[in-house]
Amino acid sequence: MKRIEKVADMAKTSRILAAEGKSIGFVPTMGYLHDGHLALVREAGKENDVVIMSIFVNPAQFGPGEDFESYPRDLERDAALAEKAGVDILFHPSPEEMYPEESDIRILPGRQADVLCGASRPGHFDGVLKVLTKLFHLTRPERAYFGQKDAQQLAIIETFVRNYNFPLEIRRVATVREEDGLAKSSRNVRLTPEERKEAPAIYAALKDGARMLRESGDPELVLGMVRNSLGRIPDAEADYAEILDYPSLRPLSAESGEAIIAAAVRFSGARLIDNILVPLEGKTS
Amino acid sequence: MKRIEKVADMAKTSRILAAEGKSIGFVPTMGYLHDGHLALVREAGKENDVVIMSIFVNPAQFGPGEDFESYPRDLERDAALAEKAGVDILFHPSPEEMYPEESDIRILPGRQADVLCGASRPGHFDGVLKVLTKLFHLTRPERAYFGQKDAQQLAIIETFVRNYNFPLEIRRVATVREEDGLAKSSRNVRLTPEERKEAPAIYAALKDGARMLRESGDPELVLGMVRNSLGRIPDAEADYAEILDYPSLRPLSAESGEAIIAAAVRFSGARLIDNILVPLEGKTS
């Protein structure tokens, strides 16, 4: 596995690969790798000649008071995991490499970013689109891999790539979970032992909600139940719970083919998100 | 010369060229070609294996009440000129091809767009960055060619390409002028015969300004003279005249290496822009 730290080296390497006609699968991450990331790498390995992973804790997508400083990092452990999973090139630039000058050109993600995490983390998706545009240009992938766990990010990126004609496909990869159902996340290590025991209740609430939505079909009723369940987690405070059309993230309508039930929950050391997709009857597509 | 109308065909063609290791020179235009455009093509032909020109009158960069509808168009004449000048691929999509769905994801150009044309045409450079992002992704150029006549556009694009790591170089090409000094522009055909006779006074004023700036070095004094000269053109109204640092477009300072004297002038049928760059003594670069 080749390791690259410099933007100029990454650009040169991908330029050579592109001119050789090699297909590149790209897995952008913030590091502290878990099985969810490695599932992305495996998918990328199946479909491409070369797999590039980036590890970059992007300051532009953290707001004031968020956990940029305390976000878990362990580059050497990550490099070993990435190599073992089949990454060919690991790109891990410094913030100074990625943002060598103050830039006031912004990408605003539009209405899809007004709900869920976008509502409680203003500017977050601006920062995501900024860094992904840079990373896509630096790595020139034919396909880029994202986990369904970050469902809103995935929906916004799909729209962005389509509207701006990026020459690549976005691949959705299913959320990887612990045996007790908790979605794998780099932030899980920041839970106290007690919180870790409580955290699977998030997915349990979403699963109950999905079952109820398929059975009763009344989103208001279902949402009330989900919020109620999340409210009963002793050490957690629900940030939001919503049921929306996916991937438009608009309110559900008679035309909706798929619903998302999404939640964010704050424990003392970490804010966790999870979601579940529910195909709807009367699906039009 | 190959002609392409469909976005999917353009993407496929550039993908194949990229995988063959061919270097692409890209010349984006709004058509109604003149010698300025053809100079861009000649430069692109010298440095690249393949020259792609786009012709697209981009609705996203025209404001309400601007001349989108009346902007001059003549595709068959343009195609003949492009082929003769050495264009290999002419991409001329329809607005429906380029914008098949309403998109609310925006690129905001920042402070460089707050002055000059950006001040009098709000949203104009948002539209420019949107269409160029799309065109760069569709044509995958190694180099893209822009005329110095659109100096603010060029400065903003240079910043954008650098800040967002587009894998391409921006090439500046000198303004091409009529024998009497008027900058070539597709909009010149919309001048009345009388206005056409008056229009070279724009460049004359800029040239006088450049000479004075080199001699006296007092930008305020020079700007007063330039505004005075523009004010004496009988059928024109000056939209702006400014002297700024180039390419930052900030106020001139002791560190400025180059100044731009830029003006926009409205005649009855067309708003014309022009500018001149003035290297400054005490240049630090």
Side-chain angles (χ1 to χ4, degrees), chain A residues 112 129 132 136 144 146-148 150-166 168-173 246-248 258 277, chain B residues 101 105:
Chain A
Q112 272 178 311
L129 294 186
L132 283 176
F136 287 161
F146 291 87
Q148 189 66 53
D150 299 316
Q152 184 176 19
Q153 170 178 276
L154 184 47
I156 291 170
I157 290 164
E158 286 177 342
T159 303
F160 184 47
V161 163
R162 192 173 67 246
N163 288 175
Y164 283 83
N165 303 99
F166 280 85
L168 59 91
E169 283 174 46
I170 298 298
R171 293 284 204 236
R172 299 182 184 182
V173 179
Y246 195 81
S248 76
E258 193 157 42
L277 296 182
Chain B
E101 64 176 307
I105 303 183

Side-chain angles (χ1 to χ4, degrees), chain B residues 31-101:
Chain B
Y32 216 75
L33 302 179
H34 54 65
D35 291 345
H37 299 111
L38 304 180
L40 303 178
V41 172
R42 276 193 299 278
E43 282 301 304
K46 284 183 206 162
E47 301 182 306
N48 303 278
D49 299 323
V50 177
V51 177
I52 302 179
M53 172 187 277
S54 65
I55 294 183
F56 182 60
V57 185
N58 173 35
Q61 72 192 65
F62 288 81
E66 290 188 358
D67 58 351
F68 174 68
E69 295 297 338
S70 64
Y71 194 88
R73 293 164 170 89
D74 188 342
L75 183 59
E76 293 315 312
R77 175 180 161 279
D78 285 347
L81 287 170
E83 179 155 29
K84 201 170 158 204
V87 170
D88 298 295
I89 298 171
L90 182 66
F91 178 47
H92 51 91
S94 66
E96 294 71 31
E97 269 294 298
M98 287 295 279
Y99 300 112
E101 64 176 307

Side-chain angles (χ1 to χ4, degrees), chain B residues 113-128:
Chain B
D114 291 342
V115 294
L116 307 178
C117 290
S120 47
R121 303 185 68 188
H124 169 65
F125 288 112
D126 303 22
V128 169

Side-chain angles (χ1 to χ4, degrees), chain B residues 212-262:
Chain B
M212 278 184 70
L213 191 62
R214 279 189 300 261
E215 284 168 6
S216 84
D218 181 345
E220 283 304 314
L221 203 70
V222 174
L223 191 54
M225 188 283 294
V226 170
R227 286 177 174 162
N228 204 337
S229 299
L230 295 174
R232 284 198 306 267
I233 303 175
D235 297 300
E237 194 180 341
D239 198 357
Y240 63 74
E242 297 290 348
I243 301 181
L244 297 168
D245 180 86
Y246 196 81
S248 76
L249 304 181
R250 294 192 188 216
L252 277 184
S253 76
E255 283 75 43
S256 293
E258 191 157 41
I260 186 170
I261 314 179

Side-chain angles (χ1 to χ4, degrees), chain A residues 15 101 105 142 162 164, chain B residues 15 101 105 142 162 164:
Chain A
R15 183 174 184 275
E101 63 176 308
I105 303 183
E142 203 150 303
R162 192 173 67 246
Y164 283 83
Chain B
R15 183 175 184 276
E101 64 176 307
I105 303 183
E142 203 149 302
R162 191 173 67 245
Y164 282 83

